[in-house]
Every structure is written in structure tokens, then in C-alpha cells.
Amino acid sequence: MIETHCLCGTVALKITAEPLAQVYCHCSDCQISQAAAYVLNSVYPADAVQITSGEPIAMTVNGTPRLRCPACATPLFTEVASAGLRSLNAYLLPEGTFTPQMHLHCADAVLPVIDALPHYARLPLSFGGSDELVDW
Ligand SMILES: [Zn+2]
Ligand SMILES: [Zn+2]
């Protein structure tokens, strides 16, 4: 079990399961909504990411609610309701607990990130994608 909170402490979260996946996401929604080249996501069953204090606000991008602290705007998690998942901002995890397995949506990447992980153009088969890779 992990307890964490936004930068200002208004919203606290409790994580009660191991992540189903940990990924770097390069999709344009993540880039624009978080003003980042790519983001770090730790994905859990929705009921394993619980809000223990505060009331996040949902900013909906292309139909997907992205929850933030109403006071400091720290991104908290994305509600992937169709899959019953919550995708946590992995910067909220304790140091050493983010061990990414892959890069997603590399077709949108603004800069290649060269490492030994698989670089999917969109999504792997196991996430409902095509498994297509980019060549960087
Ligand atoms: Zn906050
Ligand atoms: Zn994304």
C-alpha cells in the first residue's frame, strides 16, 4: 500500500494494488494537457486508486477525465473508465517504484527517447493495439 499526495497536500491518494503496467506515454493528449514531451504513468485497477482526502477536479480531454488537484493543479490520475483503470501520474510514487516496461504512442513523440524498452507506435496487442513499433 502506498500513500501519496499532490504538491500542496490538498488531495491525498492511497494505492492498494500493484501496478498492472508502468509506461511512458508520448500521446498528444498527454503532451498538451500536461505541457510535457511525455508522461510517466502507473496503471491500476480503478478501485485500487482511492482518494483519501480532498476533491480532485476533472479536466476532460477527448472524453477522458484527467483529475487534478483544485489548488495546485498537480495531475493525479486519468480515469480510463472503458477499461476500468486509473492511470496514475507516476511522479507521485515513492522513488524507486516506477519501473517502466514500454513507451506508448511514440508516433506522436516530439523527441526520441533511446533506451532498451519497446517503443510502440501506438499500443501493444495486450492493450488492444497493433503492436507496431517505431524504429528508434
Ligand atoms: Zn494540491
Ligand atoms: Zn498519453
Side-chain angles (χ1 to χ4, degrees):
M1 205 262 288
I2 290 171
E3 290 181 292
T4 186
H5 55 78
C6 65
L7 280 174
C8 77
T10 296
V11 179
L13 301 173
K14 185 167 74 171
I15 315 297
T16 61
E18 294 299 310
L20 301 170
Q22 293 188 317
V23 304
Y24 295 104
C25 187
H26 297 256
C27 83
S28 55
D29 286 356
C30 285
Q31 288 169 351
I32 294 168
S33 65
Q34 299 197 35
Y38 56 91
V39 303
L40 284 56
N41 287 331
S42 190
V43 183
Y44 303 88
D47 62 3
V49 178
Q50 297 165 15
I51 299 156
T52 53
S53 76
E55 286 187 34
I57 50 171
M59 321 291 275
T60 299
V61 179
N62 286 330
T64 301
R66 293 170 173 261
L67 285 91
R68 288 179 179 257
C69 170
C72 71
T74 296
L76 300 164
F77 59 85
T78 299
E79 191 86 69
V80 192
S82 58
L85 302 174
R86 285 182 167 175
S87 182
L88 182 80
N89 167 11
Y91 284 112
L92 299 176
L93 293 173
E95 211 174 316
T97 60
F98 180 67
T99 51
Q101 293 103 33
M102 63 193 91
H103 293 261
L104 303 180
H105 296 289
C106 295
D108 292 342
V110 294
L111 268 184
V113 177
I114 308 297
D115 61 20
L117 299 174
H119 297 86
Y120 292 101
R122 289 296 167 201
L123 295 169
L125 278 176
S126 57
F127 290 14
S130 70
D131 247 6
E132 184 192 344
L133 300 170
V134 295
D135 56 4
W136 45 266

